[in-house]
Every structure is written in C-alpha cells, then in structure tokens.
Amino acid sequence: MIDKHFQGQGYGTKALKLVIEEIKKLGAKRIQTMHKPKNKIAGKLYQTIGFSYIDNLDDGDLLMEMKINN
Ligand SMILES: CC(C)(COP(=O)(O)OP(=O)(O)OC[C@H]1O[C@@H](n2cnc3c(N)ncnc32)[C@H](O)[C@@H]1OP(=O)(O)O)[C@@H](O)C(=O)NCCC(=O)NCCS
C-alpha cells in the first residue's frame, strides 16, 4: 500500500519490482497476487509488471500469476 498522498508517482511500480527481485532470489518459480474486481488500478499495475489473470476466487477476488524464469 502506498500512502494516498504519494500514489501515482511511481512508488508502487518500483516497490513491486523490488519485491519481485527479492522473491526471484529465493528461487521461486511463480508468484501469485490478487485484487478486488473494482480495484482497476491494482489490476492494471500487476498486468503491466507481467502478471496474468488465472482464476476467479470464491470470494470474488481475481487471482493473478507471474511465472519466473530463473
Ligand atoms: C495499487 C498501488 C499500490 C499503486 O501504487 P502507486 O504508487 O500509485 O503506483 P504507480 O505510481 O507506480 O502507478 C502505477 C499505475 O497506476 C496508475 N495510477 C496510480 N494511481 C492512480 C489513480 N489514482 N488513478 C488512475 N491511475 C492511477 C498510474 O498512472 C500507473 O499507470 P501507468 O503505468 O499506466 O502510468 C496504490 O494505488 C495503493 O496503495 N492502493 C491502495 C492499496 C491497494 O489497492 N493495494 C493493492 C491491493 S491488491
């Protein structure tokens, strides 16, 4: 979560990329995330970074996944 006063300034994208690099170092083969259907900003951000939609969860959340090529 990025403080609302600082959203739209690139921090979310940078933070997400740093987290993904750390997860890659741990040897992960895939990373999953999810968001509420109405949270279009998060969905677009995840897609831009490389996540794809793979499922709709029982509670309505949208599940996304990124495969890691180590
Ligand atoms: C989702 C979130 C982490 C993105 O962080 P951020 O620092 O605003 O992201 P960025 O500045 O890197 O912007 C990422 C994209 O979102 C867009 N964006 C950010 N805030 C926006 C807004 N209020 N309205 C429209 N687009 C917006 C940016 O334009 C950018 O798109 P672009 O690459 O096409 O230019 C932030 O909005 C947030 O903390 N939201 C509340 C918590 C939340 O929803 N977390 C995710 C739960 S799944």
Side-chain angles (χ1 to χ4, degrees), residues 32-34 52-57 61-65:
Q32 293 188 344
T33 187
M34 64 186 75
S52 300
Y53 288 101
I54 58 168
D55 204 0
N56 292 353
L57 302 179
D61 285 358
L62 304 178
L63 183 63
M64 306 183 82
E65 182 174 287

Side-chain angles (χ1 to χ4, degrees), residues 17-35:
K17 286 180 176 175
L18 287 170
V19 167
I20 290 169
E21 286 310 308
E22 289 300 314
I23 295 174
K24 281 182 178 177
K25 286 180 196 168
L26 296 173
K29 295 189 168 31
R30 59 197 170 103
I31 305 172
Q32 293 188 344
T33 187
M34 64 186 75
H35 70 87

